[in-house]
Amino acid sequence: MRRVTQRINDWITNQITVYDDKPAVEVTLTVGPCADQTELVTRFATDFATGRHFWGDEYGMESYEHEYNELWGLEGSFYPMVANAFMRDAASDRQLTLFAAHSHGAASLADGALELMLARRGNGDFSQDTSRTVHKLWLLFDDVVSSERVRPLIRTEVNHNTTKVFGETDSPAAWLERYDGTFTALRRSLPAELHLVTLRQRDYEPGAVLRVHNVYEAGTDASFVPSRYFDQRYGGVAGGNCTERVLTGTIAADKCVRKAWSGNSSGRTGDAGVLRVHPMEIRTCTLDQWW
């Protein structure tokens, strides 16, 4: 690991960390407290020919293309960025992807540049918190195909990382005597493309609710992002028979009457206990046993 810390002034600190085992560079910006009439933006400038175009995920899943709006100017050219944004130079097959641990406003105010809003405080505006804030960002620079191959995986890791839970105990031995310290509900690891969204006990019936999400976006090149099969019987979750349900988990999928829509089928049919999860799909099922 290599780390550089840059102290810009008394209220802005920039720390850049390069990890040997990770493709993205970590950027930590500590900002504040900000004075009145302060708008703080960080800019990532490249030699890309982008025409002030970039892509951002407005709700954390699917990316949309944005451009600088000449009519609306600066105010109308910042767009929501929930988890990641990227810009690319098609001529040189290069892409710069920016990941964030929480939502920001993003824009491309100059050719080959990507701006991120960090703080905004108007004159006498005391409704905003004036304490120091920490902005965790990650930068990935690679060719377009390689970037798109890992972008959803890094986005999921940054925004859905493992939550650590601690409890009180008299001693480690007493804890291990009361709880199983080696239990896992998974018979084997899920594919990297499948994110386990929910695994919890049902509220009013025996069993558990399970949801899995294919983190890749719809329309992604199928050569490296296939539809994933979640096989509950042979490689999924040890929890009894699996019944697919609608997203809320309340109605069995085969009991739900859907309106007829034109277009291709989503391919939801398959063997019992096997869910085919297409890119950007979330599939829900219930397990008839709890541990």
Side-chain angles (χ1 to χ4, degrees):
M1 182 186 74
R2 287 157 289 176
R3 176 170 291 167
V4 176
T5 301
Q6 179 186 19
R7 184 180 176 86
I8 299 174
N9 54 36
D10 292 338
W11 54 283
I12 303 176
T13 303
N14 184 25
Q15 187 178 82
I16 301 174
T17 306
V18 178
Y19 296 95
D20 296 333
D21 58 344
K22 294 185 178 180
V25 176
E26 180 183 282
V27 179
T28 304
L29 282 160
T30 305
V31 177
C34 297
D36 289 349
Q37 298 184 2
T38 299
E39 292 186 345
L40 184 62
V41 174
T42 183
R43 167 178 285 184
F44 300 93
T46 69
D47 62 351
F48 289 7
T50 63
R52 295 192 287 187
H53 286 241
F54 77 101
W55 287 258
D57 59 335
E58 295 189 358
Y59 58 96
M61 293 180 66
E62 192 171 14
S63 298
Y64 295 91
E65 185 176 3
H66 304 298
E67 63 179 330
Y68 182 81
N69 193 308
E70 296 285 357
L71 179 62
W72 294 346
L74 177 67
E75 298 84 353
S77 297
F78 272 88
Y79 298 88
M81 189 202 80
V82 175
N84 73 108
F86 61 91
M87 58 181 177
R88 61 175 55 146
D89 187 343
S92 61
D93 189 31
R94 294 177 297 169
Q95 178 169 313
L96 178 69
T97 309
L98 176 65
F99 304 91
H102 60 272
S103 301
H104 291 80
S108 182
L109 306 180
D111 190 30
L114 187 61
E115 287 86 6
L116 209 62
M117 178 69 73
L118 300 180
R120 186 178 186 186
R121 182 170 172 80
N123 186 22
D125 181 10
F126 294 100
S127 63
Q128 302 295 323
D129 187 5
T130 59
S131 61
R132 296 177 71 86
T133 58
V134 178
H135 301 264
K136 282 278 190 180
L137 310 173
W138 287 262
L139 287 174
L140 175 68
F141 180 76
D142 210 333
D143 63 82
V144 174
V145 173
S146 298
S147 297
E148 288 302 287
R149 188 187 300 272
V150 300
R151 181 172 63 87
L153 307 181
I154 298 177
R155 178 186 64 199
T156 303
E157 180 182 355
V158 168
N159 289 272
H160 302 282
N161 55 353
T162 303
T163 301
K164 299 179 179 63
V165 180
F166 299 90
E168 296 182 354
T169 182
D170 296 332
S171 67
W175 180 274
L176 293 175
E177 183 178 350
R178 183 177 181 182
Y179 300 103
D180 187 350
T182 60
F183 171 77
T184 176
L186 296 177
R187 293 176 177 169
R188 67 181 184 188
S189 297
L190 293 175
E193 295 84 359
L194 286 186
H195 175 221
L196 184 61
V197 178
T198 304
L199 180 58
R200 63 172 179 82
Q201 188 172 359
R202 301 180 69 183
D203 294 330
Y204 304 107
E205 300 179 47
V209 176
L210 179 142
R211 291 184 183 89
V212 288
H213 169 219
N214 190 324
V215 299
Y216 280 92
E217 297 179 17
T220 308
D221 188 348
S223 63
F224 62 88
V225 191
S227 299
R228 284 298 184 180
Y229 288 89
F230 180 81
D231 192 335
Q232 180 270 331
R233 299 169 301 172
Y234 305 117
V237 173
N241 294 325
C242 173
T243 303
E244 184 181 8
R245 294 182 175 267
V246 296
L247 184 62
T248 59
T250 55
I251 305 174
D254 58 358
K255 303 296 184 183
C256 181
V257 179
R258 302 178 183 273
K259 293 183 178 180
W261 297 91
S262 59
N264 296 327
S265 170
S266 64
R268 289 180 174 270
T269 59
D271 298 333
V274 179
L275 301 179
R276 186 179 183 184
V277 190
H278 294 280
M280 230 172 80
E281 269 194 342
I282 298 176
R283 308 296 296 275
T284 304
C285 67
T286 53
L287 307 175
D288 61 7
Q289 296 178 16
W290 189 242
W291 302 274

